């Protein structure tokens, strides 16, 4: 939603309106993350930015930072591998299945969405 | 001695011109031409290529080490102190309000949800078709291939005298190194023995540092962290791999053996801490590793049953089968195999029977894992198979080879297959159901004599140690390590 900036008076009601709109979009994010967390088998959800700062996490800080640091390097390596093979291609998703659970990473230029799930087996 | 005054250094040289002067003039001597014959035609080759030379280059091996990274804190911008909770919360809230963030997360969220739901819907690793019937075993010729070679990292190479596989994982191998030549120990020979991890054959996983080289080394089958080793000077030592490379305890010298401990085996006991050892000084000693200051029991290998040490035979190998905990067998230097009963009341009765048949020391002794009454002995130039009931002679024996046999063991999966190693570096695989005169497979493993042999529990991988400390791991073809259907019945018939 983009609003025209010119000739608008920042009355209190207007500011409330702006906040509400922002909150609605922010609420969308909240809802998405909560929905993912509520799925069966999901252990943790983490949102990290490109510098390794956890924006949103359901785990403790030290584990989150550990995941962030290690997965960031792996994503970069995976992306460069995909692009080396075909420069038109790009990495969209990464899934690591281990003995105990599955780590799914959705990468983006700025942020990383990491979900750790225990697949039903 | 060439001397020169210091003041004369650095003087300019004065060269002078001189006309050419003949120093030597040798006229041709026609009488020498009679020694030579004119060659006609002359062979000469012409090739339109450029001259090339060949060089070999081998790069030095780069030592690679894997290390982990511990991330502690993310890359916060300079103006934010990560310890301050307020500042970090404020930063997070700021990021969450960013429009770009919102769009990205919604997009990524849909992607992620799709995968999460996928995971919950089907199990992609489920076995859909049950175990298919195993195809008919083809009659392929037996073969073996080397999968790994582990060398002694020291400069003075020592013999790999004993190998022991890790009881659970089969990915680790403990090798005892020592020099068995009489008085050949050089000053710089190291005493270390190693535990190797097969994933990393260049560097040992753990270095065991005894006070004297180890002749035998065994993993405890109940507790895979504990190993017992018999030393060259007769002491017994035990290690705990969690505690590092120095022995946790060493037996006292006065009560230990007086000769190298050639056999050390763990016993089946409730505590899992008992073992026994045998040496060429004629004694078999039982130990509890919690108290290595003195043995719990001793037995003198005197065949005349008098218990005299002077008459005792030197033991070279020891055998123990966990299914028969009171009986054990000892192979001696004199070529006799002694079967003993530990639970006999008086010491003379401990020795139940003897089997003689070899001309030289019995280097290996093994019971068939499927038919415990049948056992294999390896010594001098033959390998013999005995049955416990027939005491006069062996029931089967191989022909006399050209080189003497150094070690042997049964296959753990096939009752009719056994392996032997020779001093010319050959590994033989015998299958007495298939061919009784010759080995079914004979492989030259290396040029130096092979000194020890050990089969992994799954029966497919065999490790051979050689005189120069090289341990070669061979994988034998599946025909030799999968049980044939009628093999057990055929073997019983024999």
């Amino acid at each position: 939603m983009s609003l025209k900036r010119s000739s608008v008076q920042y009355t209190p009601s207007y500011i409330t309106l702006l906040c509400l709109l922002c909150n609605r979009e922010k609420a969308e994010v909240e809802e998405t993350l909560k929905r993912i967390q509520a799925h069966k088998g999901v252990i943790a959800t983490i949102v990290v930015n490109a510098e390794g700062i956890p924006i949103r996490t359901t785990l403790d800080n030290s584990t989150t930072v550990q995941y962030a640091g290690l997965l960031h390097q792996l994503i970069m390596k995976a992306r460069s591998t995909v692009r080396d093979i075909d420069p038109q291609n790009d990495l969209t998703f990464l899934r690591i299945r281990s003995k105990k659970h599955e780590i799914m990473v959705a990468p983006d230029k700025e942020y990383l969405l990491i979900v750790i799930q225990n697949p039903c087996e | 001695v060439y001397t020169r005054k210091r003041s004369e250094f650095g003087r300019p040289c004065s060269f002078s011109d001189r006309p050419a002067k003949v120093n030597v003039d040798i006229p041709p001597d026609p009488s020498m031409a009679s020694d030579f014959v004119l060659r006609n035609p002359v062979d000469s080759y012409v090739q339109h290529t450029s001259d090339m030379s060949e060089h070999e280059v081998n790069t030095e091996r780069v030592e690679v080490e894997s290390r982990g990274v511990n991330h502690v804190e993310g890359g916060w911008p300079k103006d934010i102190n990560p310890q301050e909770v307020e500042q970090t919360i404020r930063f997070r809230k700021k990021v969450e309000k960013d429009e770009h963030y919102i769009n990205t997360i919604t997009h990524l969220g849909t992607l992620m949800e799709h995968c999460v739901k996928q995971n919950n819907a089907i199990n992609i690793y489920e076995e859909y078709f049950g175990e298919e019937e195993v195809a008919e075993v083809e009659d392929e010729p037996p073969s073996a291939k080397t999968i790994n070679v582990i060398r002694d990292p020291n400069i003075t190479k020592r013999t790999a005298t004993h190998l022991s596989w890790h009881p659970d994982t089969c990915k680790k191998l403990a090798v005892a190194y020592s020099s068995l030549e009489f008085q050949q120990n050089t000053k710089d020979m190291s005493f270390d023995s190693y535990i190797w991890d097969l994933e990393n054959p260049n560097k040992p996983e753990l270095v065991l540092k005894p006070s004297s080289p180890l002749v035998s080394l065994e993993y405890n089958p109940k507790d895979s962290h504990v190993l017992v080793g018999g030393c060259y000077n007769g002491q017994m030592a035990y290690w705990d791999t969690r505690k590092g490379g120095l022995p946790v305890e060493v037996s006292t010298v006065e009560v230990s053996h007086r000769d190298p401990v050639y056999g050390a085996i763990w016993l089946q006991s409730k505590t899992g801490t008992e073992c026994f050892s045998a040496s060429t000084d004629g004694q078999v000693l039982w130990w509890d590793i919690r108290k290595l200051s003195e043995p719990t029991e001793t037995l003198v290998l005197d065949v005349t049953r008098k218990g005299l040490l002077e008459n005792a035979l030197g033991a070279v190998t020891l055998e123990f089968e966990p299914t028969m905990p009171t009986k054990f067998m000892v192979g001696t230097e004199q070529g006799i195999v002694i079967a003993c009963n530990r639970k006999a009341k008086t010491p003379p009765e401990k020795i139940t029977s003897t089997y003689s048949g070899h001309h030289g020391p019995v280097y290996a002794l093994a019971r068939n894992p499927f038919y415990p009454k049948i056992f294999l002995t390896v010594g001098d130039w033959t390998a013999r198979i005995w049955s416990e009931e027939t005491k006069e002679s062996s029931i089967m024996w191989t022909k006399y080879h050209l080189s003497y046999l150094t070690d042997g063991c049964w296959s753990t999966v096939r009752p009719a297959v056994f392996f032997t190693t020779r001093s010319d570096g050959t590994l033989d695989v015998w299958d007495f159901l298939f061919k009784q005169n010759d080995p079914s497979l004979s492989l030259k493993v290396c040029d130096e004599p092979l000194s020890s042999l050990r089969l992994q529990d799954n029966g497919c991988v065999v490790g051979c140690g050689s005189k120069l400390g090289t341990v070669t791991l061979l994988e034998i073809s599946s025909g030799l390590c999968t049980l044939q259907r009628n093999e057990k019945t055929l073997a019983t018939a024999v």
Side-chain angles (χ1 to χ4, degrees), chain A residues 18-96:
Chain A
L18 281 178
C19 288
L20 274 175
L21 288 169
C22 276
N23 279 349
R24 179 158 49 112
E25 287 173 336
K26 209 170 71 133
E28 232 180 83
V29 169
E30 289 281 337
E31 208 197 294
T32 314
L33 291 176
K34 275 211 175 45
R35 221 183 25 233
I36 292 179
Q37 182 69 30
H39 272 293
K40 182 175 124 179
V42 172
I43 301 170
T45 313
I46 304 172
V47 178
V48 199
N49 82 343
E51 269 104 47
I53 305 172
I55 308 291
R56 210 110 210 210
T57 169
T58 58
L59 291 175
D60 55 291
N61 195 38
S62 47
T63 321
T64 308
V65 173
Q66 183 82 356
Y67 266 107
L70 295 168
L71 284 172
H72 190 64
Q73 294 176 25
L74 187 64
I75 289 288
M76 291 212 290
K77 194 73 176 179
R79 182 179 275 141
S80 69
T81 308
V82 169
R83 292 187 78 130
D84 275 347
I85 295 173
D86 179 10
Q88 317 289 14
N89 211 350
D90 194 12
L91 181 69
T92 49
F93 202 82
L94 187 69
R95 269 178 170 192
I96 305 167

Side-chain angles (χ1 to χ4, degrees), chain B residues 11 15 57 89 136 210 231 291-292 348 360 409 434-435 488:
Chain B
R11 278 223 190 134
F15 294 110
V57 171
I89 290 181
E136 272 295 313
C231 298
K291 186 167 167 263
L292 275 178
C409 67
F434 187 63
K435 242 202 298 192
K488 276 203 171 176

